[in-house]
Amino acid sequence: MTKRTRRTHSPAFKAKVALAAIKGDKTLAELAQEFDVHPNQITGWRSHLLEGAAGVFGASPPEASEPTVDLKALHAKIGQLALENDFLSSALSKAGLLSAKK
């Protein structure tokens, strides 16, 4: 028996199969054979479609907006930290506590 490679199905295909399962004209076994997928996949796609169906007619959930980033403040902080690192590395190397390897 040869092992089948993992397949990815498009959202349109999943919707088509889930709608066919919701119609109920054919059994899960018949649909699985027709579309060449496992019956458990069809059941999962059908339940996922039923859970998200209310979102089609209702308001969509608010999208999480990314917080605004103050680039000037971040660049200033990077510069400050770079200066501190340079100062500390030179001070430690003068004191002999930091090896000269970099």
Side-chain angles (χ1 to χ4, degrees):
M1 179 176 227
T2 61
K3 197 170 190 180
R4 180 183 282 182
T5 60
R6 182 176 286 262
R7 297 179 295 170
T8 56
H9 301 289
S10 69
F13 176 76
K14 292 177 184 180
K16 177 180 165 183
V17 174
L19 285 174
I22 290 172
K23 282 183 186 177
D25 294 340
K26 297 180 181 179
T27 65
L28 282 178
E30 292 171 339
L31 289 173
Q33 188 175 19
E34 178 182 342
F35 292 109
D36 193 29
V37 294
H38 197 274
N40 289 343
Q41 283 184 318
I42 297 174
T43 304
W45 294 341
R46 180 182 63 196
S47 63
H48 190 72
L49 178 65
L50 291 174
E51 289 171 3
V56 173
F57 299 106
S60 61
E63 295 181 19
S65 61
E66 294 183 23
T68 57
V69 178
D70 186 15
L71 287 180
K72 284 187 177 185
L74 291 176
H75 286 291
K77 187 66 174 178
I78 290 170
Q80 177 187 357
L81 292 173
L83 284 174
E84 289 175 2
N85 283 342
D86 290 342
F87 172 77
L88 290 174
S89 65
S90 66
L92 288 174
S93 63
K94 287 180 184 177
L97 298 174
L98 183 66
S99 65
K101 298 178 186 175
K102 271 196 171 181

